[in-house]
Amino acid sequence: MQIELDISGGLHACCHPGFAVGEKVLWEIARLRYPDGTTVYELNDHDTFSESGVPVASVHGTVADIHYIDHHYEPAIGDPGQLLPAGEPARITPTTSVPAGTDFNHELIHVTLELLDPNQLPQIFDWDPQLGGPPDPSVREDAARAQFELSSASVHLRELAEELAQRYGHVALVRSDGLGQISMLPRAAGAAEVHWRLDFSDVSTLLVLTVAGAEWTWPADAASIGQLEQIVDAVAAGRLEEQRQATGAGMVLAMSIELADGTTLTQRDTVQGFAGQDSFAVIGPLGDRLARSGAFIPWG
């Protein structure tokens, strides 16, 4: 009997040993039946299922086939730190062996396993996907859309997105959605990106602005929305810079944007290091900021 299962690349990168086609393995798995009747097999990574009461069992098998599966993702509009499926077909790559987890960089490992004894399989557990993760993305989007339509910011943000798309569409890729969120990606290398989104998680709606990795947060009121246009104009003209200053084991990054009326907006982030070490690694937006120079060129 053969079964198929997907192994998360992120979890494999944590601590899984390597394996290869033809190799005998002993894996602890769960057998889940979804509401539509589909039955899937999942590895019990980090005791996730056993801690939730789902039956698991150790099964002996021979690896019969392996494929890597990598989906295409793109930054969410208004939020460059969140990656969403791009809607393109997944890239499927056959392989005969999988290295140990260190430095592993594939999204999923699809494995066909030839069971030595099907009687080792655990009992089927009726699984509700809502128990294992956040609500369906479409549900979250519908809720956010309803909140946006009820907010006083909706009309102003829509009008601003249309105006900026007309003004800068020839020098930047402008992506916007129906939730008042926008991403402005300049075509010139070395120019700064601008993104903003609404955050409904607090009692009052917040406006979150990201410029070249630096993040500002303001109330989503008329004054803040009015200032957005000035900020985009300043960034497009290249009137911003980032400076850094060492502070003991850490470093302070200061992003300054000079508006047309002479006002300067400054945002500071502190990168903490480790005492006694001359250098340390930083990944993510702060790492990107550390890796570049502090000057930006105009969009045009």
Side-chain angles (χ1 to χ4, degrees):
M1 176 182 176
Q2 288 187 341
I3 63 171
E4 298 186 1
L5 64 160
D6 291 331
I7 301 172
S8 162
L11 291 175
H12 179 79
C14 166
C15 47
H16 284 182
F19 56 90
V21 171
E23 183 177 335
K24 289 182 171 58
V25 296
L26 176 62
W27 287 345
E28 191 171 66
I29 67 171
R31 189 162 44 151
L32 309 176
R33 182 166 54 207
Y34 283 76
D36 64 359
T38 303
T39 300
V40 300
Y41 301 88
E42 299 278 355
L43 280 185
N44 187 29
D45 280 308
H46 298 80
D47 291 327
T48 301
F49 291 116
S50 54
E51 290 181 358
S52 64
V54 176
V56 298
S58 296
V59 301
H60 289 84
T62 302
V63 178
D65 194 37
I66 309 172
H67 287 80
Y68 293 140
I69 301 177
D70 295 284
H71 292 89
H72 299 267
Y73 292 86
E74 61 185 6
I77 294 175
D79 187 1
Q82 180 185 9
L83 296 178
L84 299 177
E88 302 176 21
R91 184 173 67 255
I92 301 176
T93 308
T95 184
T96 57
S97 63
V98 176
T102 304
D103 295 330
F104 189 77
N105 61 354
H106 289 280
E107 181 183 355
L108 292 173
I109 311 166
H110 186 81
V111 179
T112 302
L113 192 65
E114 182 75 38
L115 299 182
L116 300 183
D117 182 3
N119 293 321
Q120 291 181 326
L121 285 173
Q123 294 179 346
I124 294 177
F125 184 85
D126 288 316
W127 179 255
D128 182 354
Q130 300 295 334
L131 299 176
D136 183 271
S138 62
V139 175
R140 292 199 303 267
E141 182 176 340
D142 289 343
R145 189 178 301 278
Q147 289 174 305
F148 175 65
E149 296 297 344
L150 292 173
S151 73
S152 59
S154 59
V155 174
H156 300 297
L157 284 175
R158 280 203 183 98
E159 292 176 348
L160 181 59
E162 293 175 1
E163 182 177 340
L164 292 175
Q166 292 178 358
R167 187 183 309 174
Y168 293 111
H170 65 294
V171 292
L173 172 63
V174 181
R175 302 174 62 218
S176 61
D177 62 8
L179 303 178
Q181 304 179 146
I182 195 167
S183 289
M184 306 187 72
L185 313 175
R187 296 184 173 88
E193 298 180 359
V194 176
H195 311 261
W196 68 71
R197 59 186 173 86
L198 291 175
D199 182 351
F200 297 102
S201 61
D202 207 340
V203 175
S204 58
T205 305
L206 299 177
L207 179 65
V208 182
L209 169 72
T210 304
V211 178
E215 187 174 283
W216 282 265
T217 301
W218 297 299
D221 54 24
S224 299
I225 296 172
Q227 195 174 56
L228 282 177
E229 183 175 3
Q230 301 178 56
I231 292 172
V232 173
D233 289 341
V235 174
R239 296 196 307 270
L240 76 161
E241 66 174 350
E242 186 165 66
Q243 298 178 340
R244 61 190 67 179
Q245 180 180 4
T247 57
M251 181 176 296
V252 175
L253 300 179
M255 173 75 75
S256 298
I257 304 175
E258 182 185 349
L259 305 184
D261 62 5
T263 303
T264 299
L265 304 177
T266 302
Q267 186 266 16
R268 292 178 174 84
D269 279 308
T270 300
V271 184
Q272 295 292 348
F274 301 93
Q277 294 190 5
D278 295 330
S279 62
F280 52 90
V282 180
I283 61 174
L286 280 178
D288 295 339
R289 292 169 66 182
L290 285 170
R292 69 182 180 225
S293 64
F296 299 89
I297 69 170
W299 289 6

